[in-house]
Amino acid sequence: MKLDIFTSLINLLIVYMVFAIAFVITARRHPNLDGPVHWFVACLMFFSGFLGLSLRGVIPDLLSIVVANSLILTGRVFIWAGVRSFFGLRWRRPVFSLFVLCVLPTTVLLSLFTAVWPSISARQVIMSVFPMLVNLFIIRDVYRQRSSTLVMESNLFIGFVVAEVVIHLVRITILMTVSVSTDSYLLGQVQPDKLFFIMFFMLSTIQLLILVTLVSAKLQNELNQLATQDVLTQLPNRRLLLQRLKHGIDMKQRTGKKLALLMLDLDRFKDVNDSLGHAAGDELLQQVAGRIGARLRDMDTVARLGGDEFIVLLEEISHPQDAARVAEDIIADLGRPFQLLANNEQAPEVQIGASIGISLYPQHADNPELLMEQADIAMYEAKQAGRSCYAYFSEELTLAVRKRIDIESRLRHAIEQQELRVFYQPQIDIASNRIIGAEALVRWQSPSEGLIAPIHFIPIAEETGLITAIGEWVLRETCQQGQHWLAAGFPPLTLAVNVSPQQFRRGDINALVAKVLAETGFPAGQLELELTESGLMEHQDKAVGVLNNLRAQGIRLAIDDFGTGYSSLAYLKRFPVDVLKIDKSFIDDIPDLQDDMEITATIIAMGHTLGFKVLAEGVETQEQLAFLQAKGCDIYQGYFASKPVPAKEFAALLAAQYEKKNTDEFNPVF
Ligand code: C2E
Ligand code: MG
Ligand code: MG
């Protein structure tokens, strides 16, 4: 098909005019959006440039070539300028100096090669080198500035600009190597440049089209933001929050995790608005938004619902009390005075508070609307309960969580104030009926509540990580006490210390034990560590390594509460253990329950086969002891011999045993 260059030029002019109109309309509608104005100017320049070229013959050659081509080149610079301002980049040099630096020398060269030393090839090379260089700058800028939301459009644009650069390169190479006849003018009828011309035309049309897409994508983003953002605080609004909440619930359904919704209402906000005016109220809300946001993790969302109502979405919480902790922090943060009108010398200081209602997924509801409603109800409860406090959707949960948090803070205090005690429960060798050791059991001597059993604080200590400090303290205290007894002349005893799974998993138990033994001088061979089955089973391979290292230090190892976890003979064989402690629940119903008696007998036999000592826990009666003795159990521990007692009492028991030595071997010593 024969290409009619004139028709193509007319098409080209129409296309550029259409783009120019599109850009000018955008620029008028969105005066804040930079880029379209430059592109409008560029289109006008392309338009007049190509018009000038198509009028060749009507106007003198020199004028049409030099002026028209310079206009097209300047259009290029404007495209670049548009790209830069679209992405918010400022020129260090104004467009004018760029024009002087780039376009003017090029125009001079073009004039020289047209009028003084007529050379079509040289002229064409200039016409390709110049846009190629500008294009390289454009690629650099777009590549650096593409934002996450405009990445597809930016990449497309880069792709087409790169394509154009490649075509220019090919063209320059051909022009430099092939001799071009003098009449094969750019828009002449015969030269191979026709193909290039069509390509450039298509590519630059596509580039302009992508620029239009870029603009509309950016505007769409801004619109979306307006629709999902609170104008005053720039926080997400109710709509976006609901979207995120819905998404959060979907994710949690898959992962089985929990999330919490905190509905927050400011106390006394109305007073600020009424007394200091709305501007002060607005500023206060902005500062509140900042303080709440500062307390949250990146994954969480704080949104403003309107008025003085905020809502916080906590993604991924482990326990209900995690939400309460965040609520407490936010209440404390918002309770500090706010300094309004920062620029004003007499900046008023205001004090407000916040009430927070908490609902939990999946505990309270499994859909966004219901969760919001429940958080709202809980918030009113919090307000009624006296403001500046939080409440959960269910009252029992509020009370339970408050109690736990209270215990946690008191426990921290207890550790600092040295309110913890170690009690010792004797372990009796069944054959000789003599105390051969003791289990160290922690107690909390609270000044207000008296002696608190570990069941009430060890689980909380495990959840909060306080167990590490407690465990270390018990270990040190026990070793110190043991060393003290040795120094006082008591016979060597095995002292057993409980190690929580948390401690075993997280801390470096080996290093800790070595350190404590070195500090106290207590012999490693007299220390026994009690580990639970579940703690060992969690990371079996790691556990075997840790146990081996402990063993290498000479420490004895016991499996506590044996029979309550998921025991497997395979792991029992792998773990380097010295003692199996049969759980109290199996001993309790001896001699009434045949099953328990059989299980106990089996554990004893199996333990012996595997080379372990077997200890029975919770022995309370003579019958139980007789049964254990008949089955060959090695050691027992239980109220039948003694409850756990303070160190002094334990020492007295030991002393009594000394005195009774050789007299009544077969009765319990106490
Ligand atoms: P455990 O290690 O299985 O300790 C045995 C529990 O059974 C002790 O309860 C002990 O007082 C109780 N007991 C012993 N003989 C009898 C008996 O004849 N009858 C009855 N009814 N109970 C008996 P305690 O002292 O309340 O300790 C409970 C649990 O708390 C312990 O179970 C242990 O898992 C944990 N614990 C105690 N001290 C520590 C510690 O220092 N660190 C860690 N990580 N856990 C500890
Ligand atoms: Mg124990
Ligand atoms: Mg036990």
Side-chain angles (χ1 to χ4, degrees), residues 475 479 512-525 527 553 555:
L475 180 69
C479 290
L512 174 69
V513 170
K515 191 174 106 189
V516 171
L517 289 178
E519 278 170 19
T520 56
F522 189 62
L527 179 64
Q553 287 195 50
I555 288 151

Side-chain angles (χ1 to χ4, degrees), residues 582-612:
I582 308 176
D583 191 64
K584 178 177 173 300
S585 58
F586 298 108
I587 311 297
D588 278 347
D589 292 318
I590 294 175
D592 302 330
L593 270 187
Q594 191 61 32
D595 278 1
D596 282 356
M597 287 163 70
E598 273 166 24
I599 292 173
T600 306
T602 311
I603 296 179
I604 296 171
M606 183 200 64
H608 286 159
T609 311
L610 291 171
F612 306 139

Side-chain angles (χ1 to χ4, degrees), residues 187-453:
L187 299 176
Q189 301 295 316
V190 284
Q191 32 58 16
D193 241 16
K194 218 156 40 177
L195 190 63
F196 287 117
F197 173 73
I198 295 168
M199 283 180 173
F200 296 143
F201 166 55
M202 276 169 40
L203 282 174
S204 45
T205 309
I206 294 173
Q207 284 168 20
L208 285 172
L209 253 177
I210 301 175
L211 286 179
V212 173
T213 327
L214 259 177
V215 172
S216 59
K218 191 172 180 177
L219 290 175
Q220 191 60 43
N221 272 349
E222 274 167 19
L223 267 180
N224 284 349
Q225 242 167 29
L226 270 186
T228 55
Q229 212 176 45
D230 169 50
V231 186
L232 178 66
T233 56
Q234 318 290 309
L235 291 180
N237 62 11
R238 178 190 290 269
R239 204 169 126 183
L240 182 56
L241 179 98
L242 274 169
Q243 273 174 21
R244 292 204 185 153
L245 182 56
K246 198 169 168 311
H247 179 250
I249 290 178
D250 288 347
M251 295 293 292
K252 302 293 168 293
Q253 260 163 1
R254 262 176 270 146
T255 56
K257 294 194 169 140
K258 304 186 185 81
L259 56 79
L261 208 57
L262 274 59
M263 183 78 72
L264 186 147
D265 189 271
L266 301 182
D267 304 329
R268 293 184 299 277
F269 175 72
K270 199 171 166 299
D271 300 347
V272 176
N273 240 352
D274 291 349
S275 58
L276 298 172
H278 286 274
D282 285 355
E283 196 193 339
L284 179 61
L285 289 174
Q286 286 166 340
Q287 290 194 27
V288 166
R291 283 196 196 174
I292 301 175
R295 169 60 184 79
L296 303 179
R297 301 164 299 177
D298 282 347
M299 65 168 87
D300 302 326
T301 303
V302 51
R304 179 169 169 240
L305 298 184
D308 59 349
E309 271 199 345
F310 292 82
I311 191 156
V312 173
L313 168 63
L314 297 179
E315 301 259 7
E316 290 204 16
I317 55 160
S318 315
H319 305 285
Q321 57 269 26
D322 293 350
R325 259 176 225 125
V326 176
E328 274 188 344
D329 286 355
I330 292 178
I331 290 170
D333 283 347
L334 298 184
R336 285 186 285 113
F338 287 85
Q339 199 82 40
L340 295 185
L341 298 167
N343 301 331
N344 191 332
E345 289 273 305
Q346 287 138 3
E349 204 182 78
V350 298
Q351 185 112 30
I352 53 162
S355 305
I356 298 181
I358 304 171
S359 63
L360 302 171
Y361 168 86
Q363 209 154 339
H364 293 144
D366 59 2
N367 71 70
E369 289 76 18
L370 203 55
L371 272 175
M372 298 260 284
E373 202 181 300
Q374 292 175 337
D376 207 36
I377 295 173
M379 195 260 295
Y380 277 99
E381 300 228 321
K383 273 210 183 290
Q384 292 205 319
R387 291 169 186 249
S388 280
C389 64
Y390 66 87
Y392 281 86
F393 175 63
S394 70
E395 197 181 344
E396 312 92 80
L397 193 61
T398 308
L399 292 177
V401 165
R402 281 195 188 143
K403 191 168 168 213
R404 279 182 94 85
I405 290 184
D406 176 52
I407 292 184
E408 187 198 329
S409 69
R410 281 174 37 223
L411 189 54
R412 258 177 228 284
H413 187 74
I415 299 171
E416 286 160 19
Q417 298 297 311
Q418 308 195 329
E419 289 170 14
L420 298 182
R421 305 278 177 269
V422 177
F423 276 35
Y424 297 86
Q425 185 173 39
Q427 296 181 331
I428 324 286
D429 176 55
I430 296 183
S432 66
N433 197 24
R434 298 179 61 78
I435 300 174
I436 54 163
E439 177 174 4
L441 293 156
V442 69
R443 302 284 181 266
W444 174 6
Q445 182 70 55
S446 156
S448 54
E449 288 177 43
L451 204 61
I452 304 177

Side-chain angles (χ1 to χ4, degrees), residues 165-187:
V165 170
V166 173
I167 288 174
H168 278 298
L169 267 176
V170 175
R171 187 175 183 236
I172 294 167
T173 320
I174 294 176
L175 284 168
M176 306 282 269
T177 50
V178 178
S179 67
V180 185
S181 73
T182 1
D183 62 329
S184 69
Y185 202 67
L186 169 67
L187 299 176

Side-chain angles (χ1 to χ4, degrees), residues 439 441 498 530 560 581 617:
E439 177 174 4
L441 293 156
N498 291 286
E530 290 190 9
D560 202 356
K581 297 189 74 176
E617 285 189 281

